Amino acid sequence: MAVMGARPATGFGFLGRRSQPRSIREPQRARAGHAGAGRRQRQASIAGLLATIAASAGLAFFYLSQSSHVAAVGYEIDDLNAQIALVRAEQQQLVLQIGSAQAPMTVIGQATNQLKLRPLDASAVSFARRGGATLTSRPSSEPAH
């Protein structure tokens, strides 16, 4: 047995409702004591409230995830800055070691001690002149041109 004015269920809450044709809705509005009108308004307000809560929760979750991501990136930047400082200090130490290794006294000491080289006598050096073919063996501080 069918009830007059009853309609089949189309869904849950505000999600599955279909709008009724104007001719069907008008008689229901005309009746002032209709019991389903108050319930429908409560369902709509509860559905709106639930939608607002869900949207707020989604926004809060998005904000928290972004905040934690920014904090993690900040910590990573701090770690990288510390690594840069360590590498720069190491670079300065290497520059100092290069400078001390290129010092003339260090080079002479390594040549005599490690390579067993000895300095030449000044009289053993001979220079050739540009124009002449004569070789002279003289100690001179003037280099050959």
Side-chain angles (χ1 to χ4, degrees), residues 68-91:
S68 64
H69 179 70
V70 166
V73 168
Y75 286 127
E76 189 175 338
I77 288 172
D78 288 343
D79 289 342
L80 291 174
N81 283 335
Q83 286 179 3
I84 288 171
L86 288 174
V87 168
R88 284 188 179 157
E90 190 176 320
Q91 178 189 17

Side-chain angles (χ1 to χ4, degrees), residues 128-134 145:
R129 295 195 181 219
R130 256 190 202 178
T134 61
H145 294 247

Side-chain angles (χ1 to χ4, degrees), residues 16 18 24 27 30 32 46 73 79 86 91 97 106-107 109-110 113 119 133:
R18 290 183 284 171
I24 295 176
I46 290 173
V73 168
D79 289 342
L86 288 174
Q91 178 189 17
Q97 287 177 0
T106 306
V107 172
Q110 287 180 349
N113 296 334

Side-chain angles (χ1 to χ4, degrees), residues 2-8 20 24 28 31 34 40:
V3 178
M4 292 207 41
R7 62 184 180 145
Q20 296 177 347
I24 295 176
Q28 290 176 355
R31 290 188 286 178
H34 189 261
R40 200 174 313 144

Side-chain angles (χ1 to χ4, degrees), residues 4-142:
M4 292 207 41
R7 62 184 180 145
T10 57
F12 177 74
F14 68 98
L15 297 175
R17 292 189 181 198
R18 290 183 284 171
S19 61
Q20 296 177 347
R22 193 129 188 102
S23 62
I24 295 176
R25 283 189 277 160
E26 289 175 5
Q28 290 176 355
R29 289 185 185 162
R31 290 188 286 178
H34 189 261
R39 186 176 70 190
R40 200 174 313 144
Q41 286 179 346
R42 281 192 306 259
Q43 283 179 346
S45 67
I46 290 173
L49 180 66
L50 289 176
T52 304
I53 290 171
S56 299
L59 287 173
F61 177 75
F62 178 73
Y63 173 76
L64 289 175
S65 67
Q66 291 298 312
S67 296
S68 64
H69 179 70
V70 166
V73 168
Y75 286 127
E76 189 175 338
I77 288 172
D78 288 343
D79 289 342
L80 291 174
N81 283 335
Q83 286 179 3
I84 288 171
L86 288 174
V87 168
R88 284 188 179 157
E90 190 176 320
Q91 178 189 17
Q92 290 297 321
Q93 288 178 351
L94 290 174
V95 167
L96 181 66
Q97 287 177 0
I98 289 171
S100 67
Q102 290 177 344
M105 293 306 293
T106 306
V107 172
I108 292 172
Q110 287 180 349
T112 55
N113 296 334
Q114 291 178 357
L115 301 175
K116 305 296 184 212
L117 298 176
R118 54 189 170 88
L120 284 178
D121 225 359
S123 63
V125 178
S126 60
F127 298 97
R129 295 195 181 219
R130 256 190 202 178
T134 61
L135 295 175
T136 59
S137 174
R138 63 175 161 79
S140 172
S141 62
E142 186 178 314

